[in-house]
Each structure stands twice: as C-alpha cells, then as structure tokens.
Amino acid sequence: MLKSRVAASVLLAVATVFWDAADAAEFIARTTTVTEMKAVFGQVASRNVVPSRARIGGTVREIRVSEGSEVKEGDVIAVIVDDKIALELQAADSKINALKSQLENARTELERAQQLLARGVTAQSRLDVAKMALDVVLNQVAAAEAEKAVIKQRAREGDTLAPATGRVLTVPVTPGSVILPGEEVARIATGHYYLRLSLPERHAAEIVEGGTVVVGTRGLAQPPMESRSEPKAAAREGHIAKVYPEISNGRVIADVEVAEIGDYFVNERTLVSIPVGKRSVLAVPPEAVKTLHGVDYVRVATSDGEMDVAVILGGQFEDKGERRIEILTGLRDGDRIILP
C-alpha cells in the first residue's frame, strides 16, 4: 500500500511538471526607455479671483452669502443702507412739489398774458416774459426729477452684486459694520480651476507645454504610478497648459489643466507626478515574478536548464499598453524569462 502511494505521488509530480512546461511561454528581457516621474505638490488655483466691492458707503444691513457659497453674476451678496439717502429723497420730493406749484402759476400767467394780448390791452413783451418764465420752471422741474432719479439709483446701489459666477472665498464684513465706497465685501473665485506647480530649477529643461502628468487622489496621497498594490485607475491625468518663462527663487512655475477639480478648495494641495526625464530599465511582465518567503524570484532559461533567480523589484509602468515591473538587479539584457 505504501509503495503504491509513493508511486502515485511521483506520477502526480511528473504530470505537474509536464503541465507547467507545456503551458509555459518565454519572454526576452530587453532594456527599454521609460519616463522618469517626480512627485511634487500642486496647488489648486482659480483662473480669476475678483472682489465684490461696495458701491456706496453705509451700514451693512444684510449679508446673503457665506464662504463656499455658489453665486451667479448679478446675485445680491449684501445689502448696504445709508440713512441719509431717505432724507435726500424727502428733500427731493419737497423740491419737486414746490416747483410744480411754480409751474402751475407760470402757466396761469401765460394764459392771462395771452388773453390780454388778444384784447389788445398788453404788449407782446409781457407774453414773451410769461413764456420764458414757464420754460424756466419746466427745466427746473426736469432737473429736480433727474436729481431724484440719481438719489434712487444710489439707494439701489446699496445692493452689492456678484461681479461674476463662481464660488465665494471670503466675506470680510459682518452685519452692522460700517464700510466706505469701494471696500471689499466678498472675494469670488471665477472660471475653472487648475493646478499650479512650483518645480526646482534643474527640471526646467524637461518641463514642456502639453506634457502629461498624473494627479493623485484628492489630498496628499501619492499618485499610484509606481505602486504594485494600487491600480492606475486611482490616478487622473492632466496636461501642462503653461510654463512660465521666469525662474523665481530657483523655482519654475507651471500650470496643469485637470478635469473635474471644481469641487476642490482653492489653495488645496495635492501630489502630482510630472515627467522630468527618461532612463533605461530592464522590465518583465508581473506574472513572471513569484514571491517565496519574502524574496522575489524570476525563472530564467539557461543553457544548463531552468533556474530561479532572486531579483530586486522597482516600480510598475506601462510599455506599449502592457504592464511591466522594473528589475533593479538579478537579470541582464537578453535573458530568457519563463512565464507560467
């Protein structure tokens, strides 16, 4: 019985080796050129930040937005009241009423002069004087009504409007505070958001407009370009839209366009991997690597047969649509790799 069991085990082992050899494929390890990526901080910025300013001076009666509010162009942000405007309106109404009384009197004088001239008991000069007096009063009424319209417009300008559509960043005033004309009531970030990068001067030659960058997940998470456990789908791609020609304090400034970052905070930082050069690497498919007791091995076909070679791995990348793992040590260019 024992001999039969040993024989069965040997046959199973031989069958397993035969199956693995039949299904195995070879991969020739070749040196390839990959783009060297560097992780830097990118800061979310708005294309434009415009202030909403008070058009009149007075007391802040009401604030209708807060930090983070979404506003549209023309929305009322705050209401500013100047108590003197109500008194000026009353004075303008009184002045208009007085001028209207003078206007009625001037019309009466003109009609009387016309009747007397028709009877031949007065001179033409009196009629001319009455016409001129009526014209003067009419012009005074028009001027007073225009002054009242100006006062009403100033009262309407107490409504502080949003100058553009966007998100409110700061509201530096509070209800009850007194402000002067032109003071800032709110700051609004308008336009789409982008990432601003500040890179060391040594990378100035490698950074070009149109280059592709990889943006990590929201926050300060490392972009998973060289991670063996995270999928590449966790990262998002962006494109370098502009490289500024001036180097300031040893730093190069570049702007990156990324889709769907409108819900980020302005000045929020996130990690971005940018291309800073190229290097030659030796890489194999991920399935060629097997790990045993914490050591990574690759099976290599030699003239003496197959053997497992211990290797040290680098990061993962894509080469012509195929996933590859960089081999730092253990293999040479041209080695025949046995794939399962």
Side-chain angles (χ1 to χ4, degrees), residues 46-262:
S46 175
R47 186 63 61 191
N48 296 302
V49 177
V50 296
S52 176
R53 299 186 182 276
R55 296 182 289 178
I56 66 170
T59 304
V60 179
R61 179 69 55 83
E62 181 184 0
I63 297 178
R64 300 184 181 179
V65 298
S66 61
E67 289 81 355
S69 300
E70 297 285 344
V71 296
K72 294 182 179 180
E73 183 178 355
D75 288 351
V76 178
I77 291 178
V79 178
I80 301 171
V81 176
D82 187 356
D83 295 334
K84 297 188 298 295
I85 295 180
L87 300 177
E88 292 176 357
L89 283 174
Q90 293 179 2
D93 288 335
S94 300
K95 182 177 180 181
I96 291 175
N97 291 333
L99 290 175
K100 286 182 177 180
S101 299
Q102 295 180 16
L103 179 62
E104 292 297 328
N105 186 36
R107 285 174 177 168
T108 302
E109 288 295 331
L110 178 60
E111 292 176 357
R112 185 180 295 115
Q114 290 175 343
Q115 292 175 0
L116 293 176
L117 182 62
R119 296 175 186 176
V121 294
T122 186
Q124 180 67 34
S125 60
R126 182 176 178 181
L127 179 63
D128 294 338
V129 170
K131 287 182 178 180
M132 183 181 65
L134 179 63
D135 292 339
V136 169
V137 176
L138 285 173
N139 292 331
Q140 289 178 345
V141 172
E145 290 179 346
E147 291 177 359
K148 181 180 178 181
V150 171
I151 297 172
K152 285 185 175 181
Q153 178 61 30
R154 195 161 77 249
R156 286 192 294 268
E157 289 178 351
D159 293 342
T160 303
L161 306 179
T165 301
R167 185 191 299 181
V168 178
L169 299 181
T170 58
V171 182
V173 298
T174 58
S177 58
V178 177
I179 61 176
L180 298 176
E183 282 194 36
E184 189 177 277
V185 177
R187 290 173 60 245
I188 302 174
T190 65
H192 62 280
Y193 291 171
Y194 64 96
L195 288 176
R196 173 153 292 180
L197 307 181
S198 180
L199 312 173
E201 183 178 353
R202 64 181 180 273
H203 300 312
E206 289 81 10
I207 301 301
V208 295
E209 293 185 6
T212 301
V213 302
V214 179
V215 182
T217 55
R218 185 170 184 175
L220 302 181
Q222 175 74 23
M225 281 297 293
E226 301 198 1
S227 170
R228 300 175 58 192
S229 59
E230 298 182 33
K232 184 182 177 182
R236 289 185 295 174
E237 288 189 352
H239 300 280
I240 299 176
K242 186 173 184 180
V243 179
Y244 291 86
E246 182 180 9
I247 296 178
S248 178
N249 297 325
R251 312 292 291 184
V252 179
I253 306 301
D255 292 344
V256 174
E257 297 286 350
V258 185
E260 299 178 358
I261 62 170

Side-chain angles (χ1 to χ4, degrees), residues 20 137 162 241 287:
D20 291 342
V137 176
E287 59 269 19

